[in-house]
Amino acid sequence: MANLALTGFKRDNQGIYINKDPDANIEYALDFVDYLNTGDSLSTATVTLGTITGDSAPLAFPTNAATDTNISGTKVIFRVEAGTAGNIYPIQVQITTADGDTDSRHFRIVVKDKGLE
């Protein structure tokens, strides 16, 4: 299981999600520290943003997937913008490790107008 402690993710009865304001251009991180074998490291990462038919302001990478997705130690870091308030976007993070292991994690980005909490 990916480590959720420092990344802002929440959990409900449908799984892992994170809230995002539609005006935010923000970076998120998914930590694979608990997944990696001792001495292994992340080699590549791909983040896929789900789409919703007819969405006028879909969730997007500000530049492109390659530029806005990075690896830092055990974390996959990615930046997204936009999204339509009220929509829930499925996200997939696929990794390959230096030892050749591959894996995929899924979660949701819930877009809603955020106030101070």
Side-chain angles (χ1 to χ4, degrees):
M1 178 75 192
N3 181 340
L4 306 175
L6 300 175
T7 58
F9 288 80
K10 299 178 182 182
R11 182 185 309 267
D12 64 11
N13 62 353
Q14 296 177 6
I16 304 301
Y17 71 98
I18 195 158
N19 290 322
K20 181 197 172 299
D21 189 278
D23 295 325
N25 176 330
I26 193 162
E27 193 171 77
Y28 297 111
L30 187 63
D31 195 340
F32 283 83
V33 67
D34 294 334
Y35 167 77
L36 296 171
N37 292 322
T38 302
D40 200 1
S41 60
L42 297 178
S43 179
T44 65
T46 303
V47 176
T48 304
L49 307 178
T51 59
I52 297 172
T53 302
D55 192 351
S56 62
L59 193 66
F61 295 107
T63 306
N64 60 54
T67 301
D68 296 322
T69 302
N70 299 290
I71 295 171
S72 178
T74 59
K75 295 176 183 171
V76 175
I77 300 169
F78 62 99
R79 178 173 290 281
V80 294
E81 66 178 2
T84 300
N87 283 349
I88 300 171
Y89 298 89
I91 308 298
Q92 179 181 22
V93 179
Q94 296 175 290
I95 58 133
T96 301
T97 71
D99 288 346
D101 292 338
T102 60
D103 203 2
S104 181
R105 295 290 188 265
H106 300 264
F107 62 94
R108 299 164 287 144
I109 292 182
V110 177
V111 178
K112 64 180 189 173
D113 292 316
K114 290 172 60 176
L116 295 174
E117 295 179 17

